[in-house]
Amino acid sequence: MTASTDFLAKLNPSQRAAVEHFCGPLLVVAGAGSGKTRALTFRIANLVLNHRVDPENILAVTFTNKAAKEMKERIEVLFAEQEAQAKHGKSLSALPEYEQTKLRSHVYKNVTKYLWIGTFHALCSRILRFDIEKYQHPDGYTWKKTFSIFDESDAQTLVKTIVTKDLNLDDKKFNPRSVRYAISNAKNQNFTPADLEKEQPNYRGRMIADVYRHYEKALAANNSLDFDDLIMIPVKLFQQNESVLGYWHNRFRHILVDEYQDTNRTQYDLIRLLTTNGEDMAKFNDWRNRSTFVVGDADQSIYSFRAADFTILMNFQDDFGDGLPDDDTRTMVKLEENYRSTSNILHVANYIIENNTERIEKVLRATRGEGETIFCYKADDEIHEADFVVGQIRSLEYQNPELKWGDFAILYRTNAQSRSFEEILTRYSVPYQVVGGLRFYDRREIKDVLAYLRAIANPDDTVSLKRVINVPRRGVGKGTLDKLDQATQTLGCPLWEILSDEGSVKTLAGRSSKGVLEFAGIIKKYRERLDNAKGSEIIQELLEDSGYIEALKAEGTEEADDRIGNVQELYNAVLQFEEENDDPSLLAFLANASLASDLDNMEEGNNRVSLMTLHSSKGLEFPVVFLVGLEQGLFPNFRSLEDPAATEEERRLCYVGITRAKERLFISYARERRLYGHREPASPSLFLGELPVDYVTTNSGLGMPQRMTTPIRDARSEREEAAKPGSGAHEFDWNAGDVVVHPSYGAGEVTHIFGAGNKICLAVKFPNQGRKIIDPKLTKLQRAE
């Protein structure tokens, strides 16, 4: 492989300083959008092309498999480009396709094939395929090189069996999901069962440590490992076997780690051992033909709930580097030039993050123009917030041919917030996708509660009955269900006919009959109330009677909290439906929910508005971003309000959200929000008070946006120009909430707009006439002053 005279000329000075660093430790503090992947790929190329490092001696750790694949592809193209220039005097793209393929194949066979690039889990799995049989477990357990890898579902099932059957523990006190989470957290801190018991010597800690011991024994009996083992066992192996560690230490002379702020203690131990060959950090100084190159940003550390510890990055200079101040150090480079966002967006990001104390000082600098002012919208409630966001998306997409639906993202703190946006997007037939999660009505807990409601409304719905007969667990296992199934098939009757008869249940279900009858009693109770009680009343009491919420609370994990939030949001959806529809029955709501969840006629490909949590948005970018729900207790999350360190992580999450935006950034919050059925006043997020006033505009006291200095005209501006009697034939002439005067019905309020473009109808609610559907092209509507 040969390099052109200066293939690094494309890099900015800071990137180049990082890439040209050869031996020794280096921390690259890479701000959002500063080209860190570019620096990593060019560094690998520089090591091979200019320093003649054998590709086999390079280990590059990425945060995701997708990032690993992208890095390999970039390196392959970079090397092929050098070969094209050297052999043909042309750029790679100027060559015939067959010649490009030939060069890339040559690069693969000689370079990328030998590079170790992947996630911690993937790379450690490869190491264990070589050496796991040399690992000495303290209890004598052994594994073969043919080990299987348990996914999370397998691990959960195994822990559940140990808790409920092997140790016969009370699964309400020792919820299997919660126990599994505790074991995983222990492994991420490199704790053995004995370490965990020492760390938590109380009764609960001792019992979880006992489950952990049984869990390890069961894994070994199955010749299996879980994801956490893939990293912890290599660390233990390196600590106990000098020859194994020595081999891999000599093999990996140049170590690169991406997203270093997201490493946990076990991952840190792995990098430290490979770097120093087990020598004490304070004494190690043999950097001949060796480097440890880590890239990260403490300001983007948002995964503490996964045991990530950003102080590992903060301590790099003391652990590996020279420990000198930022201006004097030779072991740290800052990438501060941002190639993603406009100047105004970066000003807001810098202002916000400066309020954190635990960080390495840096300031993102724009390489693009000033851009639009950030707009902060105060909504009356979550429904108006969703109306505003979707209205802006439709207006911007309509007015700007270069913008596609896929250029918009709505970012929120919790999954439950997606529901109001999904409903408005569906109403206007705007294609969307929920990224990194399921659409609201497709989430497991929502499907569970809807199955309860459907079984109550229609007990002949056997699918719904089966889904929740043992949710939460009532001791109704597969064997019992098989017996009940067999009876229904023999008798040719629906399952409910048997479940509703106590004698039949006792005969068929035996010891499980108690749980079956308990379930049947719940269904019967609410069937009797179906005609007289509102759906909101039924769901509220059902969640308590069934024990569903109690079971989620017992898990005690952040995931369980998120699921509780989703269930509470379903209750909000029922209340909203009752307020907005003439038929507030449970049956009507279930029909509406079915339509919402079965709407599969979305556009193919990625041309859809993206909805996602802020955690899921990490690493992504969009021309237009809506950062929603900035209220105390929601964002920042209520768990962080009394904990300064947790508040700083929430602020980092806010910073990540802001820096996803390339062209436009909208921030919104509500004056009040429905929380589990009750309208509660909402306090603006403390982060709103940290916004720089010179770069942010907001809406007026009328609750509508002020005119912004932008070539993109919002829907309100257009409506004001078109507010003439008899006009208003286009969808952008109207907005929910407009007050109009009809020649016959008098004054009324627009509640919905149906259709698109100039083919629309308005739903107008008149105080004494009810709701009417009106075609504004045929009926003159005067806009009220």
Side-chain angles (χ1 to χ4, degrees), residues 137 139 141 159 162-163 167 179-180 182-197 205-219 226 228-229 232 236:
H137 189 278
D139 293 324
Y141 305 142
V159 169
I162 294 167
V163 168
L167 297 180
V179 172
R180 163 68 188 134
I183 292 172
S184 177
N185 193 51
K187 289 186 178 186
N188 285 327
Q189 297 179 75
N190 203 10
F191 283 179
T192 64
D195 294 331
L196 179 59
E197 192 168 2
R206 295 197 306 274
M207 289 299 100
I208 292 176
D210 201 21
V211 176
Y212 186 178
R213 289 189 187 93
H214 281 75
Y215 177 64
E216 283 200 315
K217 182 179 180 180
L219 285 171
D226 65 20
D228 302 314
D229 289 326
M232 189 178 78
K236 299 290 187 188

Side-chain angles (χ1 to χ4, degrees), residues 109 112 170 260 316 430 558 561 656 766 783:
K109 290 176 181 177
T112 52
D170 183 342
Y260 193 63
F316 180 90
V430 176
E558 187 159 327
D561 288 343
V656 165
F766 298 95
R783 197 180 304 278

Side-chain angles (χ1 to χ4, degrees), residues 632-664:
Q632 289 294 94
L634 184 58
F635 189 32
N637 182 276
F638 74 94
R639 286 175 174 263
S640 72
L641 297 181
E642 302 298 325
D643 182 354
T647 299
E648 292 214 349
E649 176 149 338
E650 292 287 298
R651 188 177 286 109
R652 292 195 292 269
L653 197 55
C654 185
Y655 174 80
V656 165
I658 291 168
T659 54
R660 299 311 94 195
K662 297 166 69 176
E663 311 285 347
R664 299 292 304 273

Side-chain angles (χ1 to χ4, degrees), residues 4 6-12 16 19-20 42 46 50:
S4 62
D6 190 4
F7 80 102
L8 303 180
K10 299 176 182 178
L11 303 175
N12 68 41
R16 184 156 187 158
V19 167
E20 290 187 323
F42 271 79
N46 192 54
N50 288 334

Side-chain angles (χ1 to χ4, degrees), residues 398-419:
Y398 179 77
Q399 293 292 328
N400 294 268
E402 73 277 8
L403 284 178
K404 305 183 294 295
W405 297 122
D407 293 328
F408 299 91
I410 303 171
L411 309 182
Y412 37 75
R413 181 61 180 83
T414 65
N415 278 309
Q417 289 171 261
S418 76
R419 198 265 307 175

Side-chain angles (χ1 to χ4, degrees), residues 28-40:
V28 180
V29 179
S34 63
K36 69 181 179 66
T37 305
R38 186 180 182 84
L40 284 160

